[in-house]
Amino acid sequence: MGQMGFFTDTTLCIGCKACEVACKQWNQLPADGYTFTGHSYDNTGALSATTWRHVAFIEHSQPANGTGKSVNWLMMSDVCKHCTYAGCMEACPTGAIIRNEFGDVFVQPDICNGCGYCVPSCPFGVVERSRDTGLAAKCTLCYDRQKDGIEPACAKACPTDSITFGDLDELKARARKRVHTLHERGETAAYLYGVDEDTSVGDLNAFFLLMDRPSVYNLPEKPRLPQNNLVPGFMASLIAASFLTLTTAFSLWRRGRK
Amino acid sequence: MNKARTYYDLPLLKKPSWSWEIMLYFFLGGLAGGSFLVSTLADLLGSKQDAAVVRAGRFLALICILISPILLIKDLGRPERFHHMLRVLKLRSAMSLGTWALTIFGICCGFTTGHQLAKDGLLNWFPLLARFMKAMPVKIIESIGSIFGLFVASYTGVLLASTAVPVWGRCFSRLVFPPRSPVSRCSSH
């Protein structure tokens, strides 16, 4: 089975939030309340344990290239990135977070015991512990739908095909072609986020075509795999532990001589 | 104009869901590891006058290590599933390593304290158990326990350092945590 994933082309997003709604409906996720953030049309805020698709709205008050309308919109449907080297999956001490046969990073709800270590281990701030169930929850890439051979709910609902689902190799080829087309049309800011980049999380199985810097979309500029700190950390512990043992032994030895 | 460089200044990372139990455990784990190390070294290298240190260290370590799992399990989203931690060992997960180290250290603590109790004559009501506890190779057990105790005392720093939280990932947090044990050392003396 080939690796499956999402390609989210933000240039096609119209901000309808059909993906958010479809995701909530299919996955039977509870509502998050009626909050008014004041941040453009984004009243969702961020991905959470009960929000697995989130449409970001960015208003640029001046056009990027000096022409066009006075407000330049950027919209992006954010989702779990299903990293090649996933921080949450490596951190998970129960083995609840696995990579399934479609290449998705999947939290097994019957194994997870809600330790919460995956939450700070995600460099993208995606996974969260649910207050209702006590379990870590995030996008499953509609594992259940994929098993039946149908595409995830968000991709199905997307009216402009901003979200496309499919075999990763095909998606990447299509995405590279799309960037090329946009560059030819003069949209030189277009680039792919999560593909062909030199980061320790590897390629993202859910990658994006962006029109501005990642931080504008609340994405990390250079995501790092947190587990890269393990070896230096344990080395420091080893040094400290040896120092402790030696000083304690020394003080005992001196006491014994008195 | 490149004003919007962030997304409405919203945090990129999620806030960890851990509460006071974990903070208290970080301290108790360090205290247990440190006091167990001191008692072990006092037993191996010390003179007769160090017997009080050995006893105090063993009891203190056991008390801390009995409280720690209660705190850790209480903080879980699903406390009744705590044993799921023991279904795998993952070398790249500091929490998985810590779980196993805590388990082994706890067993070592239990046996050494049992030995201490037997030596102090507190197990005389259970003659067989007392004989068993006295006959144990306690020096080997406490040496092994010390290694795991030091791990328990220091892995929490690595656990925090190997997250995406930038401040925790900086080198200072790796250095701050292991030296908590000197505090434990003083308190057990």
Side-chain angles (χ1 to χ4, degrees):
Chain A
M1 184 75 64
Q3 298 252 305
M4 308 299 270
F6 282 131
F7 166 44
T8 308
D9 183 347
T10 65
T11 57
L12 297 177
C13 182
I14 55 170
C16 69
K17 300 191 195 178
C19 50
E20 281 191 28
V21 176
C23 176
K24 285 248 182 206
Q25 286 198 327
W26 180 264
N27 294 300
Q28 302 184 335
L29 298 169
D32 299 312
Y34 300 102
T35 44
F36 181 71
T37 60
H39 301 146
S40 188
Y41 285 95
D42 180 7
N43 288 316
T44 311
L47 294 170
S48 75
T50 49
T51 302
W52 299 347
R53 269 279 178 190
H54 158 236
V55 183
F57 290 78
I58 300 119
E59 295 179 36
H60 279 307
S61 53
Q62 285 187 3
N65 53 6
T67 56
K69 300 182 185 78
S70 58
V71 173
N72 192 32
W73 284 93
L74 294 176
M75 296 151 204
M76 183 196 87
S77 179
D78 197 10
V79 69
C80 170
K81 281 77 189 174
H82 298 274
C83 315
T84 300
Y85 304 105
C88 62
M89 189 170 77
E90 297 210 351
C92 180
T94 61
I97 306 185
I98 54 153
R99 187 173 294 282
N100 69 15
E101 67 267 36
F102 304 106
D104 324 334
V105 177
F106 178 68
V107 188
Q108 301 174 86
D110 53 336
I111 305 289
C112 173
N113 67 5
C115 75
Y117 192 29
C118 53
V119 178
S121 298
C122 172
F124 297 95
V126 170
V127 65
E128 194 186 34
R129 187 163 89 183
S130 162
R131 284 216 185 100
D132 298 331
T133 61
L135 304 175
K138 66 168 194 71
C139 165
T140 64
L141 234 151
C142 282
Y143 189 14
D144 47 352
R145 290 172 66 96
Q146 282 196 63
K147 272 188 171 169
D148 285 340
I150 48 178
E151 64 179 330
C154 55
K156 183 78 186 167
C158 183
T160 61
D161 264 352
S162 168
I163 303 169
T164 44
F165 169 80
D167 181 81
L168 265 179
D169 294 330
E170 283 172 31
L171 281 184
K172 282 177 189 173
R174 195 191 306 168
R176 290 188 191 107
K177 215 174 127 193
R178 173 72 180 159
V179 172
H180 186 69
T181 313
L182 286 171
H183 283 195
E184 274 187 341
R185 290 184 192 165
E187 291 291 350
T188 48
Y191 70 101
L192 292 182
Y193 180 81
V195 176
D196 311 324
E197 285 180 315
D198 183 26
T199 63
S200 47
V201 294
D203 273 6
L204 307 178
N205 282 16
F207 59 97
F208 302 86
L209 189 153
L210 301 181
M211 295 297 289
D212 206 331
R213 288 179 55 181
S215 64
V216 171
Y217 300 89
N218 220 6
L219 293 168
E221 297 273 333
K222 201 163 172 74
R224 258 186 101 252
L225 185 66
Q227 281 74 20
N228 283 357
N229 289 350
L230 270 176
V231 172
F234 277 123
M235 290 311 273
S237 308
L238 188 67
I239 294 165
S242 321
F243 176 75
L244 265 175
T245 313
L246 289 175
T247 46
T248 313
F250 181 69
S251 65
L252 281 164
W253 173 72
R254 265 186 55 182
R255 211 167 99 141
R257 282 212 319 177
K258 266 181 206 160
Chain B
M1 257 273 286
N2 288 330
K3 218 178 114 196
R5 293 288 87 181
T6 72
Y7 191 70
Y8 303 106
D9 289 334
L10 292 173
L12 195 158
L13 298 174
K14 287 273 177 297
K15 196 177 152 198
S17 45
W18 300 325
S19 54
W20 62 270
E21 292 96 339
I22 304 298
M23 313 307 141
L24 184 56
Y25 160 69
F26 283 173
F27 176 73
L28 289 181
L31 191 61
S35 52
F36 194 84
L37 175 78
V38 173
S39 83
T40 303
L41 289 174
D43 192 32
L44 295 178
L45 310 170
S47 52
K48 278 230 168 94
Q49 54 168 346
D50 291 326
V53 175
V54 176
R55 184 184 298 113
R58 284 172 178 171
F59 283 125
L60 183 62
L62 185 74
I63 291 164
C64 294
I65 225 66
L66 285 177
I67 301 169
S68 296
I70 299 170
L71 294 171
L72 292 174
I73 291 168
K74 190 185 166 292
D75 188 67
L76 291 177
R78 287 289 184 93
E80 78 280 8
R81 292 188 183 175
F82 74 92
H83 60 276
H84 288 196
M85 294 275 191
L86 300 169
R87 65 189 278 281
V88 282
L89 168 65
K90 289 171 79 174
L91 297 178
R92 294 269 288 169
S93 168
M95 194 180 277
S96 178
L97 291 172
T99 306
W100 286 102
L102 194 62
T103 309
I104 298 167
F105 178 53
I107 294 167
C108 293
C109 267
F111 277 124
T112 42
T113 313
H115 177 81
Q116 187 65 45
L117 285 170
K119 244 172 96 178
D120 293 350
L122 294 167
L123 288 181
N124 287 351
W125 287 358
F126 312 99
L128 256 178
L129 185 67
R131 265 175 67 191
F132 170 73
M133 285 295 178
K134 274 188 195 160
M136 262 186 334
V138 75
K139 292 204 165 147
I140 294 171
I141 292 172
E142 63 188 358
S143 304
I144 296 166
S146 291
I147 295 166
F148 285 99
L150 279 169
F151 188 90
V152 166
S154 61
Y155 87 95
T156 45
V158 186
L159 184 145
L160 291 184
S162 58
T163 62
V165 182
V167 173
W168 293 354
R170 298 264 188 280
C171 59
F172 96 91
S173 62
R174 288 182 215 134
L175 298 174
V176 164
F177 276 85
R180 281 170 313 138
S181 311
V183 181
S184 329
R185 211 171 91 220
C186 298
S187 50
S188 75
H189 260 302

